[in-house]
Amino acid sequence: MPIREGDTAPNFTLPSQTGQMIEFRQILGEKAIVLYFYPKDDTPGCTTESCAFRDSYTVFQNAGAEVIGISADSPESHSKFATKHQLPFILLSDTGNKVRKLFGVPSTLGVLPGRVTYVIDPQGVVRKIFNSQLNFKGHVEEALKALQGG
């Protein structure tokens, strides 16, 4: 069953772009989490989306949220991607797509990994889900609306 609004987000542990293991439950508490799943590092749509999150990162922080990106790319790929585009947030490597499956992120046409953003409150409850393969900047706009009570 896919995760729905009102559900508690599942716990998971994945390596970041620095190789550090990040446990989801350990970063919850003080801040909301904007968790966005994207298909692949350094592709046009994913770069547009990630850079939109980067450009609004201060706004997210001011709204009391942390941004985290997840794809199946390796920590090394994430490190290059984050450095190249000056991404100030954590990118997690879900190489086996286990967390993608845990959240129930759908694929597009059965092959392309889906692009879904979850806004999760500090208690771990999913408050907003935005699913759009092609509305790259919409993920940022919808997440900000949810954080700002819209």
Side-chain angles (χ1 to χ4, degrees), residues 9 12 17 20 30 58 64 93 111 114 118 135 143:
F12 60 85
Q17 73 263 37
Q20 178 186 1
E30 290 184 27
T58 302
S93 180
V111 288
Y118 299 83
N135 186 358

Side-chain angles (χ1 to χ4, degrees), residues 16-18 38-43 71-85 87 91-93 95:
S16 73
Q17 73 263 37
T18 64
Y38 64 98
K40 186 155 181 55
D41 288 344
D42 232 4
T43 56
S71 80
D73 296 294
S74 69
E76 296 77 22
S77 175
H78 281 339
S79 179
K80 290 176 188 169
F81 183 51
T83 300
K84 180 178 180 180
H85 298 287
L87 305 178
L91 297 177
L92 297 176
S93 180
T95 54

